[in-house]
Amino acid sequence: QVRRCGGTVDAIKFHWDVDEFAVERRGVNLHPHLSTVTYLSDSGAPTLIVDRRNALKAGDGEVACGQIKKGMLSYPRCNKHITFDGQLLHGTVPQLGDASERVT
């Protein structure tokens, strides 16, 4: 993905990685065992990963809500690769990044 940074419109919104086919056809959230981000540049917004897991049943947002107690913030660095639990909520924080291009 290439994102022009500098505003919230350019952010990668917070999301869970999920099998969209399973959500649409069976109404369940199936997540990968691991999710990854590979940075191909030194610029752009950092990735924030928080300890919030998704509900098993699609649309059951109440399970996914609650206090966030832990998180990890990863700033872009060329060739940096991060791996994390595929069930965790993650996205970018554009206010902490610079106004250049993010390539992942």
Side-chain angles (χ1 to χ4, degrees):
Q1 297 176 342
V2 176
R3 303 279 178 157
R4 307 256 183 253
C5 300
T8 56
V9 174
D10 305 315
I12 298 171
K13 293 183 169 62
F14 279 84
H15 64 280
W16 288 277
D17 291 341
V18 65
D19 180 339
E20 298 293 341
F21 182 82
V23 171
E24 291 174 15
R25 300 291 173 125
R26 296 189 174 86
V28 295
N29 292 317
L30 295 179
H31 303 278
H33 291 287
L34 298 172
S35 290
T36 66
V37 175
T38 302
Y39 300 97
L40 303 176
S41 69
D42 292 330
S43 58
T47 302
L48 178 61
I49 304 156
V50 297
D51 67 344
R52 182 60 44 221
R53 296 178 186 278
N54 202 354
L56 179 59
K57 290 178 67 178
D60 189 6
E62 200 169 307
V63 173
C65 295
Q67 184 178 8
I68 294 171
K69 297 178 183 175
K70 295 180 186 177
M72 181 189 86
L73 189 63
S74 174
Y75 282 87
R77 191 176 72 230
C78 191
N79 296 320
K80 180 179 183 182
H81 182 79
I82 61 172
T83 304
F84 53 94
D85 185 327
Q87 295 183 34
L88 296 179
L89 182 64
H90 59 285
T92 61
V93 186
Q95 294 85 355
L96 297 179
D98 57 30
S100 55
E101 194 172 78
R102 173 189 162 110
V103 184
T104 57

